[in-house]
């Protein structure tokens, strides 16, 4: 089943200082505290809250080797959940700090279809949405693990989806993982909600000063983490090969073969010793 629609949502996250001070280690209890405060605030504002549930998603992002999709503030995502894989393409329509309006194409796919898309360099998707990037190699560039609590908010003709996300980024090349962080998303469901979403954003910032408006999508934040960890690995390659000349030839050979993950594994092994 294919769907195309316009998505408008606001994103807020705990400031790094607040997370380090109040929630140094994200847990089910800390998420429950945040969810409870949000529910109380929306109930006080006259919203009815329904459909609360927990969802575990693993989002794999794909891009060209030169990150052509990232460069135009877009994303190509395959989400894995209990309902099977779902492919989503998001392209920007409007963007202000904390508010993201995007065109969204979404379709459920089977595991076999997913495998075929990977083998074909996602050609049908690239051709349909990023034609200027056609014939470029596509790679798995980032993974986001997301333990989400979501619910629906209703007030008169306004309807929103509220999500509290407990997210962790992973570098697919090295398997390095970030610390967990918290992000709040509120998506407008319908034209009346779209018209008042910015008012909700302002109210939330006033009521919860420990939250700040997000200036990045999840994919952009994940790529930032991937770049940070890749720089760390590069510095480790330089340091370890100087210290252990015996592995310099191996690193050179694996680098020629493009096996960065193997280089990382060798370095990790020597560091353990």
């Amino acid at each position: 089943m294919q769907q195309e629609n316009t998505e408008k949502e606001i994103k807020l996250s705990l400031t790094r200082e607040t997370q380090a001070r109040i929630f140094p280690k994200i847990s089910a209890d800390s998420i429950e505290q945040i969810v409870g405060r949000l529910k109380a605030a929306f109930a006080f504002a006259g919203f009815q809250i329904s459909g609360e549930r927990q969802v575990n998603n693993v989002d794999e992002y794909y891009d060209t080797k030169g990150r052509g999709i990232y460069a135009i503030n877009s994303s190509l995502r395959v989400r894995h959940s209990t309902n099977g894989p779902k492919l989503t393409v998001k392209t920007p329509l409007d963007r202000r700090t904390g508010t993201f309006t995007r065109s969204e194409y979404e379709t459920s796919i089977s595991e076999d279809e997913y495998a075929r898309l990977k083998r074909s360099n996602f050609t049908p998707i690239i051709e349909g949405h990023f034609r200027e990037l056609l014939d470029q190699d596509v790679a798995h560039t980032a993974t986001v693990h997301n333990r989400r609590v979501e619910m629906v908010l209703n007030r008169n003709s306004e309807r929103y989806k509220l999500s509290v996300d407990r997210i962790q980024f992973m570098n697919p090349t090295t398997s390095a993982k970030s610390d967990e962080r918290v992000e709040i998303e509120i998506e407008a469901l319908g034209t009346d909600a779209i018209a008042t979403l910015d008012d909700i954003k302002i109210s939330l910032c006033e009521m919860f000063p420990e939250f700040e408006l997000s200036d990045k999508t999840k994919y952009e934040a994940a790529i930032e983490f991937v770049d940070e960890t890749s720089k760390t690995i590069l510095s480790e390659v330089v340091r370890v090969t100087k210290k252990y000349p015996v592995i310099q030839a191996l690193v050179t050979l694996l680098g020629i073969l493009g096996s960065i993950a193997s280089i990382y594994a060798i370095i990790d092994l020597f560091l353990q010793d």
Side-chain angles (χ1 to χ4, degrees):
M1 182 178 178
Q2 298 181 1
Q3 292 182 333
E4 292 192 58
N5 61 280
T6 297
E7 172 195 71
K8 183 176 182 180
E9 62 185 6
I10 56 176
K11 294 176 180 284
L12 301 96
S13 56
L14 283 174
T15 64
R16 290 193 175 187
E17 294 77 11
T18 299
Q19 183 158 321
R21 179 168 49 88
I22 302 177
F23 303 119
K25 184 173 177 60
I26 302 300
S27 66
D29 288 342
S30 55
I31 295 296
E32 189 174 333
Q33 290 179 42
I34 294 169
V35 170
R37 290 180 63 201
L38 287 166
K39 287 169 67 175
F42 280 106
F44 183 77
F47 284 91
Q48 293 182 326
I49 302 169
S50 61
E52 182 175 342
R53 64 174 187 154
Q54 296 186 21
V55 184
N56 292 331
N57 296 323
V58 177
D59 296 337
E60 295 179 338
Y61 289 90
Y62 289 84
D63 208 330
T64 61
K65 293 292 181 65
R67 293 187 187 163
I69 296 175
Y70 170 84
I72 55 174
N73 303 118
S74 300
S75 64
L76 167 54
R77 181 187 75 197
V78 176
R79 168 166 289 173
H80 301 270
S81 66
T82 54
N83 298 321
K86 182 174 286 187
L87 184 146
T88 303
V89 173
K90 296 188 180 187
T91 53
L93 296 174
D94 185 49
R95 177 167 176 164
R96 285 162 288 155
T97 302
T99 305
F100 301 82
T101 306
R102 294 176 287 184
S103 175
E104 181 182 72
Y105 166 84
E106 195 167 63
T107 183
S108 296
I109 57 175
S110 68
E111 292 289 354
D112 286 344
E113 288 173 313
Y114 180 37
R116 284 196 296 272
L117 282 169
K118 287 193 289 186
R119 287 195 300 270
S120 72
N121 253 344
F122 286 86
T123 296
I125 306 302
I126 299 297
E127 186 173 20
H129 299 274
F130 307 109
R131 177 171 284 274
E132 68 278 11
L133 302 175
L134 202 58
D135 298 327
Q136 295 190 34
D137 288 338
V138 172
H140 179 193
T141 49
T143 299
V144 179
H145 295 266
N146 185 359
R147 287 186 272 184
R148 165 174 285 184
V149 179
E150 64 181 28
M151 64 205 73
V152 176
L153 310 174
N154 286 284
R155 183 177 65 183
N156 301 322
S157 59
E158 300 169 55
R159 191 164 183 262
Y160 307 89
K161 183 172 79 172
L162 167 64
S163 302
V164 179
D165 294 338
R166 180 180 173 182
I167 57 179
Q168 184 178 49
F169 305 127
M170 189 183 84
N171 183 330
T173 302
T174 67
S175 299
K177 293 181 179 180
S178 71
D179 293 333
E180 289 187 313
R181 62 188 72 183
V182 178
E183 185 175 79
I184 296 167
E185 287 187 359
I186 303 177
E187 179 184 353
L189 305 175
T191 54
D192 288 340
I194 287 174
T196 56
L197 188 61
D198 285 334
D199 294 335
I200 289 178
K201 179 176 74 172
I202 293 169
S203 298
L204 278 179
C205 290
E206 291 173 349
M207 294 174 65
F208 300 99
E210 69 269 34
F211 291 119
E212 61 185 356
L213 297 173
S214 300
D215 61 355
K216 297 180 181 68
T217 64
K218 283 187 177 66
Y219 180 46
E220 290 166 350
I223 286 296
E224 185 177 82
F225 170 76
V226 167
D227 285 346
E228 287 173 358
T229 54
S230 297
K231 288 177 183 177
T232 301
I233 291 165
L234 181 59
S235 65
E236 284 298 312
V237 169
V238 173
R239 187 182 71 83
V240 174
T241 53
K242 285 181 178 178
K243 186 175 181 181
Y244 301 101
V246 68
I247 68 167
Q248 190 164 6
L250 283 174
V251 170
T252 302
L253 176 60
L254 290 169
I256 292 171
L257 296 175
S259 184
I260 297 174
S262 298
I263 293 173
Y264 183 76
I266 290 174
I267 290 170
D268 190 51
L269 180 63
F270 270 78
L271 291 177
Q272 289 176 12
D273 292 342

